[in-house]
Amino acid sequence: MQTAADAGDAATLLAAVPAGRRVALVDPRFVGHVHALRLGLTDPRFPAATVPGALTAQPEARGALLRALHRTAAAVGAGAPVVEPDADPAPEDRTVPGRIAVALEAEGTAVQRPALGSLVAVVPTDPEQQAAAEAGLASVDDEAVRLRNAVKAHDGFFTTYCISPYSRYIARWCARRNLTPNQVTTASLITALIAAGSAATGTRGGYVAAGILLLVSFVLDCTDGQLARYSLQYSTMGAWLDATFDRAKEYAYYAGLAIGAVRGGDDVWALALGAMVLQACRHVVDFSFNEANHDAVANTSPTAALSDKLDNVGWTVWVRRMIVLPIGERWAMIAVLTALTTPRIVFYALLVGCSLAACYTTAGRLLRSLTRRASRTDRAARALADLADSGPLAQAVAAVAPGLRGAFTAPAVALLGTLVMIGGALFLPYGSPLTVTAAAVYVVLSGLAVARPLKGALDWLVPPFFRAAEYVTILVLAARSDVPHAVPAAFGLVSAVAYHHYDTVYRIRGGTGAPPQWLVRTIGGHEGRTALVVVLAAVLTHTSGFTTALTALAVAVALVVLVESIRFWVSSSAPAVHDEGELA
């Protein structure tokens, strides 16, 4: 920390700081809470941020900061105003950091102004303001505010009332010992994997231990996000780890339950895979709807207005959050049922609960979409196309086929293809050439569905239909094959493919775009993988070769997507983010 005599001296000192470092300017008269400064000066997610009397700039905003500082120094030295003559600047914009923040924004650099709430951050100019600021400091416990703000604002009932009241103190304990959110995330994963291993023993003691460990894992899962907010340790890597590990923990636990059930003489692998498929399809409905409406213009949906009104009625907020069976409620249900019942009952409860939740959320999104008068942007259409995961076969069809017109044409065609594919897998004789024909029809319809930009009111349904077609087809063919271990192999394949689809979502959310096209082409796209599994089922009918083929395909997909994904996230230049997560 260095002291500058004036704005010109500050510019000289800042220019001497190595280019790769964050810098900050603080008015020496600043009076405020430490956490107010922390919010303004240490959050890594923004190129520049300011609170009254203080300003920070990341390396990418350093050049703009120096230019603004030089202009401010020249203006102040000449006695000229920095803001427009007819403007009435806020008090915080009359300080040097405040003037520079205004200048940065005028140049086009976004400057984050965090909400301070009850925290004090002022630059007093007279004894009365000084006394008022000091009184404000004494009346507010900034540590209590910091702890309160560490908890996510919109969370489920179980998390809010059964976990967060004490997990925030675990987060503070971790911060004081210099533990990072990523370390806590990893501990949560390890705990969940041990829980899955306990469930795999197939004993009552193992099931009880698994339920307890799953809840411990969830406490740590809440703690990592609270630690990130408490200590402002946001990162792209952290958001990716938190999101992907959640899926890995849940699906690994499903596998552990299935293994334990088999040891007890009850094969529930099909139920485990069905629960995973349902949960993944629920998520893609959420992701697709949110991306389609992320920057929609002129939202006039009365359904959305009604939802906003209900959010102001206390009891309806909690009922609506619990109906969707968010991760807290879902994991609590899984843990309790694991300890007290059997894996089969756990999966029955999951399938019923998640099905009801999916019907509720999807119906609400359909109503919003049909009553919304909004224009979808090119960005939304691009995101939906990326989420569709069309491979070379569908892309080839889309390239030669005329775009089908009509407000609901794309989802209707995608739904038709999905019904043809799933219906063929379910009702045609297993291994029949007609199933291969159904797969060919699915490929053609998949290409037709994405031949035009996905800007229709219900086009966000296209990716979920494709996910359902691929995942359910793999599940049905593996279950109908009557080949030992085919369904566990299918579980592995769907897990690998689902990882790719979740990875696509997190890249889009991080603003870096979807995975490269070479990766999508290499793993075949949704239609290519579906067609390949259908062909393998026809060629390797009722032989162990089908299990071997599914396993090999799962390993190949997993290796390709994991290597490329890890390479990307480790070396990612995406801005630091923290994924608050979806309730579901």
Side-chain angles (χ1 to χ4, degrees), residues 149-425:
N149 291 342
V151 177
K152 191 162 59 176
H154 303 288
D155 226 331
F157 181 88
F158 178 77
T159 304
T160 299
Y161 290 104
C162 300
I163 303 297
S164 293
Y166 58 88
S167 61
R168 69 185 74 183
Y169 295 101
I170 300 176
R172 181 172 67 181
W173 183 89
C174 293
R176 290 177 175 176
R177 284 152 184 81
N178 296 319
L179 297 176
T180 67
N182 290 353
Q183 290 171 331
V184 178
T185 301
T186 303
S188 175
L189 173 66
I190 293 172
T191 304
L193 294 179
I194 296 173
S198 299
T201 62
T203 64
R204 177 52 52 195
Y207 289 148
V208 172
I212 294 172
L213 287 170
L214 187 65
L215 289 177
V216 172
S217 175
F218 183 66
V219 171
L220 293 174
D221 183 55
C222 295
T223 300
D224 63 3
Q226 291 166 0
L227 174 59
R229 287 182 286 274
Y230 181 85
S231 57
L232 299 178
Q233 296 184 72
Y234 302 111
S235 70
T236 298
M237 173 69 76
W240 171 65
L241 288 178
D242 185 48
T244 54
F245 281 10
D246 278 352
R247 305 286 76 77
K249 287 181 287 190
E250 187 164 4
Y251 299 155
Y253 192 82
Y254 291 178
L257 282 175
I259 294 171
V262 170
R263 288 187 170 181
D266 187 14
D267 189 345
V268 296
W269 270 108
L271 294 177
L273 180 50
M276 182 170 70
V277 168
L278 179 56
Q279 192 61 24
C281 289
R282 282 186 65 199
H283 281 143
V284 77
V285 167
D286 295 338
F287 298 147
S288 294
F289 178 81
N290 291 336
E291 288 302 326
N293 298 283
H294 175 75
D295 50 4
V297 180
N299 176 11
T300 58
S301 169
T303 307
L306 174 61
S307 178
D308 292 339
K309 289 182 180 179
L310 290 176
D311 281 340
N312 294 321
V313 182
W315 67 271
T316 67
V317 174
W318 295 118
V319 170
R320 293 169 68 217
R321 290 185 188 178
M322 293 174 70
I323 286 175
V324 300
L325 204 63
I327 187 170
E329 276 76 356
R330 191 169 67 250
W331 282 27
M333 179 185 74
I334 293 171
V336 171
L337 290 179
T338 298
L340 300 179
T341 64
T342 66
R344 181 172 290 273
I345 293 177
V346 173
F347 288 124
Y348 281 156
L350 268 174
L351 289 168
V352 172
C354 289
S355 295
L356 293 175
C359 291
Y360 170 77
T361 55
T362 304
R365 285 168 169 76
L366 286 171
L367 286 174
R368 290 190 184 204
S369 300
L370 292 173
T371 57
R372 186 190 300 263
R373 298 292 181 267
S375 299
R376 270 69 180 186
T377 63
D378 291 337
R379 177 201 173 279
R382 180 67 261 169
L384 290 180
D386 291 333
L387 290 173
D389 192 33
S390 299
L393 297 178
Q395 290 176 4
V397 172
V400 300
L404 298 176
R405 298 185 180 276
F408 309 119
T409 301
V413 172
L415 175 60
L416 178 60
T418 298
L419 293 176
V420 168
M421 188 65 264
I422 296 177

Side-chain angles (χ1 to χ4, degrees), residues 251-252 273 276 471 489-500 502 558 561:
Y251 299 155
L273 180 50
M276 182 170 70
Y471 297 168
F491 189 98
L493 175 57
V494 173
S495 299
V497 175
Y499 175 86
H500 164 62
Y502 282 114
V561 300

